Amino acid sequence: MKIAICGKGGVGKSTISSFVINELASQGRRVLAVDADPSPHLARLLGFAPEEVPEPVAEMRELLQERTERQGAFYNMNPRVSDLPEKFLVKKGNISLMVLGAIQQGGAGCACAENAVLRNLLNTLLLSPDEDIVLDMEAGVEHLGRGTIAATDHIVVVVQPYRGSIETASKIRNLAEDLGIKSLHVVANNIQGSDDLEFIESESGIKPIAAFPASSEVRSAERKGIPIYETGTEFRKAAAKLIAKLEEIDVRS
Ligand SMILES: Nc1ncnc2c1ncn2[C@@H]1O[C@H](COP(=O)(O)OP(=O)(O)OP(=O)(O)O)[C@@H](O)[C@H]1O
Ligand SMILES: [Mg+2]
């Protein structure tokens, strides 16, 4: 199962990603965690020590340029990437982590060539048949324009019970539709009661497939800098439910 976790800034994408990743791993599955945030911190949430964490691939400018074989304005649109995962993965039990970093928007002085390497790398990873992949995406909607998540099986949009996060979710849904992505789901976070869930459902028009509670354990683990999966039983249950729902959808489709 290949999942991209998206949503407005600060809604809990990385927190929920880390629980989903750990839950999949605890079910004995091999999981590749991809941190695609420009300021990555999934590694910390997953309990990797700072010295274990590789540099974001997106920041390896020399390597990216070498792979694009750029000649003046021309570059190789299909650069070689097959050896890169081995170089950039760190492993712990069933979990491998790659820190991708942000895929830049093309523009003046165009980063298109480097982006071609990153996109190819991501697409190559997404083709691997025997591994679950969880992408912790950058906040907002920009990355949808780059089409980097079109190859995932499911887009999970995290929302909290406030209008701003639901507005971002609607934009993500519209862009995903334009990209032809069929499996998009809403997950509620920071839920304090049934009225929060009702608010999300009535405002977004979508029933969340799982709900993560407002959790003092999660908040406190984050402050202490300890791997949050070791806390938060309710969170673990919600992650298990989310995975089960996505699997049900996989079986039906
Ligand atoms: N359900 C929750 N209960 C308590 N605290 C939470 C909950 N969900 C997230 N948090 C806290 O909110 C903060 C933001 O969460 P997180 O980093 O997961 O969001 P994000 O969407 O990945 O943010 P960014 O857009 O910056 O990447 C963190 O301090 C996290 O511990
Ligand atoms: Mg994050």
Side-chain angles (χ1 to χ4, degrees):
M1 189 158 50
K2 325 283 187 204
I3 316 169
I5 302 202
C6 311
K8 192 173 168 62
V11 287
K13 298 177 291 299
S14 301
T15 304
I16 290 174
S17 296
S18 71
F19 274 88
V20 170
I21 290 159
N22 271 295
E23 188 56 37
L24 287 166
S26 77
Q27 294 175 9
R29 296 154 68 152
R30 292 200 309 127
V31 195
L32 170 62
V34 180
D35 193 340
D37 192 310
S39 48
H41 62 262
L42 187 61
R44 175 165 46 78
L45 297 181
L46 293 173
F48 285 91
E51 62 277 9
E52 291 177 291
V53 183
E55 255 189 89
V57 186
E59 283 171 25
M60 314 291 269
R61 291 277 152 222
E62 250 174 51
L63 173 107
L64 295 180
Q65 280 174 9
E66 168 207 304
R67 290 304 166 96
T68 61
E69 299 157 23
R70 194 197 271 270
Q71 286 170 336
F74 298 98
Y75 64 88
N76 182 357
M77 288 285 289
N78 194 16
R80 184 171 61 87
V81 292
S82 52
D83 60 324
L84 294 184
E86 278 306 308
K87 284 196 175 118
F88 292 108
L89 286 182
V90 284
K91 293 193 180 174
K92 193 156 59 98
N94 286 344
I95 300 174
S96 317
L97 169 73
M98 174 177 282
V99 183
L100 193 65
I103 298 187
Q104 305 294 319
Q105 189 71 292
C110 193
C112 324
E114 290 78 4
N115 284 346
V117 182
L118 293 174
R119 248 198 326 268
N120 235 13
L121 176 58
L122 199 49
N123 285 334
T124 306
L125 293 170
L126 287 168
L127 286 173
S128 105
D130 50 355
E131 202 168 40
D132 288 327
I133 300 189
V134 178
L135 298 176
D136 176 15
M137 296 308 295
E138 139 184 35
V141 297
E142 301 299 317
H143 54 82
L144 280 129
R146 287 166 230 144
T148 41
I149 57 176
T152 55
D153 302 318
H154 305 286
I155 293 190
V156 168
V157 189
V158 181
V159 295
Q160 292 206 10
Y162 67 93
R163 282 183 197 282
S165 80
I166 295 170
E167 277 163 23
T168 301
S170 300
K171 284 188 195 149
I172 291 173
R173 180 160 61 155
N174 292 340
L175 288 166
E177 265 171 26
D178 292 347
L179 285 171
I181 294 168
K182 295 201 177 62
S183 185
L184 178 140
H185 307 279
V186 164
V187 159
N189 187 27
N190 215 6
I191 297 305
Q192 297 192 17
S194 57
D195 55 329
D196 282 344
L197 272 179
E198 282 156 20
F199 175 77
I200 289 173
E201 198 174 336
S202 67
E203 277 304 306
S204 68
I206 304 182
K207 191 176 168 61
I209 58 167
F212 291 80
S215 162
S216 53
E217 284 168 294
V218 164
R219 192 175 310 129
S220 137
E222 203 280 338
R223 286 189 194 168
K224 288 183 190 146
I226 55 176
I228 52 175
Y229 183 70
E230 288 162 15
T231 65
T233 318
E234 291 304 313
F235 248 77
R236 281 153 81 157
K237 280 193 204 150
K241 182 170 170 193
L242 169 57
I243 293 164
K245 288 268 180 175
L246 294 177
E247 272 168 349
E248 246 174 68
I249 295 160
D250 276 345
V251 171
R252 270 190 272 126
S253 56

